[in-house]
Amino acid sequence: MTVPTVEQDLLRYLESRTKSSWEPDRDLFTAGGLSSLFAMELVVHIEQVFDVVIAGADLRLDNFRTVHAMTALVDRLRENHVR
């Protein structure tokens, strides 16, 4: 999966769950789009769809603040997994 594909999947998932449109650089927490429970659902979604494991330091709020941040996280985790 390419970075744009990851971003589009995340946007579709967010829009389907929140019934709102999201810009990739919009802060999901300050905009009221994410609760801590929904953030955990998002972690599970990312792990399942993109075949990555998010643990330890990667569970920082900053990695889930925007779609761009989540996309970068997925890209980094997938890159590290390949090596």
Side-chain angles (χ1 to χ4, degrees), residues 28-53:
L28 302 169
F29 290 95
T30 59
L34 289 183
S35 65
S36 57
L37 179 59
F38 183 68
M40 291 313 299
E41 289 178 35
L42 190 54
V43 168
V44 170
H45 172 78
I46 291 170
E47 288 182 326
Q48 291 176 344
V49 170
F50 304 112
D51 193 28
V52 296
V53 175

Side-chain angles (χ1 to χ4, degrees), residues 2-81:
T2 64
V3 168
T5 305
V6 171
E7 185 174 287
Q8 287 304 310
D9 177 271
L10 291 170
L11 285 169
R12 273 194 305 274
Y13 181 76
L14 284 169
E15 289 171 4
S16 73
R17 297 285 287 125
T18 65
K19 307 297 184 224
S20 298
S21 288
W22 295 95
E23 293 297 321
D25 59 348
R26 185 173 175 199
D27 189 317
L28 302 169
F29 290 95
T30 59
L34 289 183
S35 65
S36 57
L37 179 59
F38 183 68
M40 291 313 299
E41 289 178 35
L42 190 54
V43 168
V44 170
H45 172 78
I46 291 170
E47 288 182 326
Q48 291 176 344
V49 170
F50 304 112
D51 193 28
V52 296
V53 175
I54 303 170
D58 290 324
L59 285 169
R60 289 186 336 228
L61 183 66
D62 287 341
N63 285 330
F64 300 92
R65 194 166 290 285
T66 68
V67 171
H68 281 155
M70 289 182 276
T71 301
L73 173 65
V74 169
D75 191 46
R76 186 179 77 249
L77 291 174
R78 288 178 27 197
E79 182 178 300
N80 290 340
H81 181 70

